[in-house]
Amino acid sequence: MTRGRITRKDVALKAGVSETVVSYVLNANRYVDRAKKERVLQAVRELGYVPSPAARSLKGKDAHHVLFIVDDMVSEYFGSIIAEMEKLVAGKGFLFSLACDRGDENFVQTVCNWSFDGIIIGSATIRIEDIQRIIDTGMPTVILSMNDYPAFSGRYGLIFTGLKSGSVKVMECLGKRGRKRIAFVDSFSISGSPVNKADFRYIGYREALNGACEIIIDGCSGSAELRKKIADVYEKTHFDALFCRTDRIAAEAMIALSAITLAVPSDVSVVGVNNSRIAMYTQPRLTSLAIRKDEVAKATLRLFSSLRVSSKEEILTVQLETDLIERESV
């Protein structure tokens, strides 16, 4: 497999020094022992290291070009976060680009070979090894943690948006409504993949069951398959609530319930996630778990600033909360 851009970390390892020393040598802004300096320069020549112009010029300065990697280009959620960031940096020359993770080598290689002043990873499906490769480029990287990821090496930001505790909040709300057979409805999967057990929404759902029967509706590639599976699962389990991974899936589920003459919420309660505009237009209006997108935007920009200050390896974390917006669907 082709490796991404050679990074300062690679230079540091080959020269037997810290990344901070490599930065001092390349930026020529601190004294470095002559022998160490020669080792760094030799490693740069042997590895063919080329510093990112953007990362070099942005040391201590404002960012300009930010890449947002997502898994759904038409999702209102990601667009809303970019809109919030645009508000915060209006007039400062920022450019935001949205790209869809395609899960192929060419996409990751292109990202690693480019010069971005910040990268946001908001894809729930991007591979672990690809996240590590992006971090290894040295470009400031912030992960919106929708999944329970392992610790990566290097310096990066991690924003916990509150999905796990928010999912518990959803389950508690349904429990107060007397719902005992709650099903988790996953997003569409072109490949028919089962639910991702590292997804914080699923983790919160499972923990809140407290030993009750787990009912999963997953592996659906589209609307027709989801409607059939909902009907089949209801016939077997007679679930009385659906906790859906997104508002779109919740809206699709409500149509499926209507097709088998089940009423929301008298027969089945339905809850979605993201509090998107669709929640206001379903019949009945959809209860949804709202991620605080304005706080996500602020935290992301703040982390970018911190990540550009030094090259010390560490994880910068931010913990946010969610809000459950209750409407008529529960």
Side-chain angles (χ1 to χ4, degrees):
M1 179 180 288
T2 305
R3 179 176 163 74
R5 175 190 297 153
I6 298 298
T7 68
R8 291 189 181 194
K9 181 178 182 180
D10 298 317
V11 174
L13 288 172
K14 187 167 184 64
V17 299
S18 69
E19 288 184 61
T20 300
V21 169
V22 173
S23 295
Y24 290 162
V25 173
L26 296 179
N27 293 326
N29 58 1
R30 296 284 182 90
Y31 172 79
V32 176
D33 174 78
R34 183 175 178 179
K36 288 183 180 179
K37 183 176 180 179
E38 286 300 322
R39 293 207 307 273
V40 170
L41 294 175
Q42 180 65 26
V44 167
R45 288 191 291 270
E46 291 181 9
L47 295 173
Y49 172 72
V50 179
S52 162
R56 191 169 50 189
S57 65
L58 280 167
K59 200 73 172 178
K61 300 180 181 179
D62 290 333
H64 293 287
H65 192 185
V66 174
L67 178 68
F68 199 161
I69 301 174
V70 303
D71 48 22
D72 183 359
M73 289 286 281
V74 298
S75 170
E76 179 185 328
Y77 170 67
F78 299 121
S80 297
I81 293 175
I82 290 180
E84 291 292 339
M85 286 193 288
E86 290 274 12
K87 291 179 192 175
L88 294 169
V89 297
K92 296 183 180 179
F94 274 66
L95 175 65
F96 295 95
S97 296
L98 195 63
C100 188
D101 166 47
R102 298 187 293 272
D104 63 71
E105 176 64 25
N106 289 336
F107 172 75
V108 179
Q109 190 65 45
T110 299
V111 171
C112 291
N113 287 340
W114 208 260
S115 292
F116 296 104
D117 307 327
I119 296 178
I120 309 167
I121 298 177
S123 169
T125 58
I126 189 169
R127 297 179 302 184
I128 299 297
E129 57 267 33
D130 290 340
I131 295 176
Q132 184 62 67
R133 287 178 61 192
I134 291 169
I135 293 171
D136 286 345
T137 65
M139 291 183 278
T141 301
V142 172
I143 304 168
L144 303 186
S145 191
M146 290 175 278
N147 297 335
D148 186 13
Y149 293 115
F152 299 101
S153 62
R155 180 176 172 83
Y156 62 97
L158 190 60
I159 298 178
F160 295 98
T161 58
L163 282 172
K164 181 180 175 182
S165 60
S167 297
V168 172
K169 200 181 301 183
V170 168
M171 296 292 285
E172 289 174 348
C173 172
L174 292 171
K176 289 176 182 177
R177 299 296 195 282
R179 305 306 183 179
K180 300 184 183 299
R181 298 180 302 282
I182 305 170
F184 182 84
V185 188
D186 199 17
S187 296
F188 291 142
S189 168
I190 295 175
S191 61
S193 300
V195 65
N196 176 11
K197 294 188 177 180
D199 185 332
F200 278 128
R201 276 165 274 211
Y202 169 76
I203 292 173
Y205 161 79
R206 186 170 183 178
E207 287 186 3
L209 284 174
N210 292 322
C213 180
E214 180 179 306
I215 305 171
I216 304 297
I217 299 173
D218 60 0
C220 301
S221 60
S223 302
E225 195 170 349
L226 176 65
R227 292 174 193 178
K228 183 179 185 306
K229 193 153 193 176
I230 283 177
D232 291 344
V233 173
Y234 182 78
E235 186 176 351
K236 295 174 184 175
T237 66
H238 288 278
F239 55 73
D240 55 16
L242 297 178
F243 174 27
C244 303
R245 192 177 182 277
T246 66
D247 290 342
R248 180 192 172 187
I249 293 298
E252 295 271 6
M254 290 170 77
I255 294 172
L257 293 172
S258 178
I260 55 176
T261 66
L262 291 174
V264 177
S266 56
D267 295 319
V268 180
S269 293
V270 180
V271 180
V273 176
N274 287 337
N275 195 36
S276 55
R277 282 174 291 184
I278 196 172
M280 296 297 294
Y281 299 112
T282 58
Q283 286 295 329
R285 295 187 308 159
L286 179 66
T287 293
S288 183
L289 185 67
I291 296 168
R292 298 175 183 175
K293 295 180 279 289
D294 57 338
E295 293 186 10
V296 171
K298 290 176 186 176
T300 300
L301 293 174
R302 188 168 66 249
L303 286 174
F304 279 150
S305 295
S306 298
L307 290 167
R308 291 194 300 272
V309 170
S310 76
S311 58
K312 179 183 177 182
E313 289 199 16
E314 62 178 325
I315 306 171
L316 306 180
T317 62
V318 173
Q319 178 67 62
L320 302 177
E321 296 299 325
T322 54
D323 300 297
L324 182 60
I325 311 302
E326 295 187 41
R327 301 189 180 95
E328 295 87 358
S329 68
V330 295

